[in-house]
Amino acid sequence: MNRFAPTVLALSCALALAACHKQETPEKTQQDVAEAQADAASEMKEAADDAAKTAAKGQQDIADAAAKSPDKQADAQGDAVEQDADAAYDVEIAKAEGDKKVEKQRCDGLPVADQKACNDAADATYEAAKTAAASKRDAAKKAGSNLEH
């Protein structure tokens, strides 16, 4: 019996791996995509709510600083721009992550031979979105720092 154990174990592993890389049924893919879309929408809403709170706080800080002195107002405006840039970045990243999750669920519905290319494309699109969001954030933060004295 012991001489069959390695063969049985190897066969079990091979079958388990083969099961991981199979095409999902259209119904399962549709369900997974719908769940990923719902999760993405929730995460986007949360990020957008946080961004709105950040913007409101920044405006309040600017108003408070304006009551004190023009110099403090300029600093507060610069800080607000930088904080808004970070919040906008978070929103863009939440959207990119949601889009990636949805696309990867769609990839699972493709034939096995097409899944890797689809997943790679989803990853590349996500990385490009992250890079673009970081560039926007950095440019906005630089503009914000130029407002400060």
Side-chain angles (χ1 to χ4, degrees), residues 71 74-80 82 143-149:
D71 287 343
D75 288 344
Q77 285 173 328
D79 289 344
E82 291 177 19
S145 69
N146 290 337
L147 292 173
E148 298 173 1
H149 289 289

Side-chain angles (χ1 to χ4, degrees), residues 1 7-8 15 30 33 41 44 47 58 67 82-83 89-90 104-105 113 116-117 125 135 141 148-149:
M1 288 283 276
T7 305
V8 172
L15 289 174
Q30 186 177 16
V33 167
M44 274 288 298
E82 291 177 19
Q83 291 167 358
Y89 172 81
D90 291 343
K104 284 189 170 258
Q105 291 303 325
K116 181 175 180 352
T125 300
S135 292
K141 287 179 115 178
E148 298 173 1
H149 289 289

Side-chain angles (χ1 to χ4, degrees), residues 118-136:
C118 181
N119 282 312
D120 289 348
D123 288 336
T125 300
Y126 172 70
E127 291 301 324
K130 274 181 25 177
T131 300
S135 292
K136 281 185 190 177

Side-chain angles (χ1 to χ4, degrees), residues 63-78:
D64 292 346
K68 294 178 182 174
S69 78
D71 287 343
K72 292 185 188 250
Q73 181 180 1
D75 288 344
Q77 285 173 328

Side-chain angles (χ1 to χ4, degrees), residues 17-97:
L17 287 174
C20 291
H21 296 291
K22 65 180 183 173
Q23 181 178 359
E24 287 183 347
T25 64
E27 295 81 16
K28 174 71 171 140
T29 299
Q30 186 177 16
Q31 178 185 1
D32 289 348
V33 167
E35 287 174 10
Q37 288 172 330
D39 289 345
S42 175
E43 290 170 12
M44 274 288 298
K45 182 183 180 324
E46 186 177 320
D49 288 348
D50 289 346
K53 288 176 188 173
T54 297
K57 183 181 180 324
Q59 291 304 311
Q60 183 60 49
D61 290 348
I62 292 168
D64 292 346
K68 294 178 182 174
S69 78
D71 287 343
K72 292 185 188 250
Q73 181 180 1
D75 288 344
Q77 285 173 328
D79 289 344
V81 168
E82 291 177 19
Q83 291 167 358
D84 287 347
D86 285 333
Y89 172 81
D90 291 343
V91 170
E92 290 187 40
I93 293 301
K95 180 183 181 330
E97 287 173 349

